[in-house]
């Protein structure tokens, strides 16, 4: 018996399509800055990177990715 990896799940594709169609509101910049400071205090590199990127995207959403 041969295994096919990864296993395709129809619900997974439907969920990804649904997320791509819906716009999600971004949190306010002060909340993201607090998360950035918290991640920095905890020395969480990935958290710092994620929070910094979210701050930039919410501060100037039309300029990112153009």
């Amino acid at each position: 018996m041969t295994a096919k990896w990864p296993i395709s799940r129809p619900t997974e594709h439907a969920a990804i399509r649904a997320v791509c169609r819906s716009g999600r509101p971004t949190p306010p910049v002060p909340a993201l800055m607090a998360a950035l400071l918290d991640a920095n205090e905890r020395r969480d590199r990935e958290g710092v990177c994620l929070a910094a990127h979210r701050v930039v995207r919410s501060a100037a959403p039309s300029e990112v990715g153009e």
Side-chain angles (χ1 to χ4, degrees), residues 27-61:
V29 175
L32 292 172
M33 290 300 292
L36 177 62
L37 292 174
D38 187 41
N40 196 21
E41 288 175 3
R42 296 173 189 255
R43 300 186 188 275
D44 179 10
R45 280 203 236 157
E46 186 176 349
V48 169
C49 186
L50 289 172
H53 282 91
R54 299 250 353 231
V55 168
V56 170
R57 282 186 165 222
S58 67

Side-chain angles (χ1 to χ4, degrees), residues 1-48:
M1 181 173 174
T2 61
K4 181 181 176 185
W5 297 98
I7 298 171
S8 178
R9 294 178 175 83
T11 55
E12 182 179 0
H13 294 293
I16 291 172
R17 281 194 307 271
V19 168
C20 290
R21 285 192 307 261
S22 66
R24 296 176 306 231
T26 58
V29 175
L32 292 172
M33 290 300 292
L36 177 62
L37 292 174
D38 187 41
N40 196 21
E41 288 175 3
R42 296 173 189 255
R43 300 186 188 275
D44 179 10
R45 280 203 236 157
E46 186 176 349
V48 169

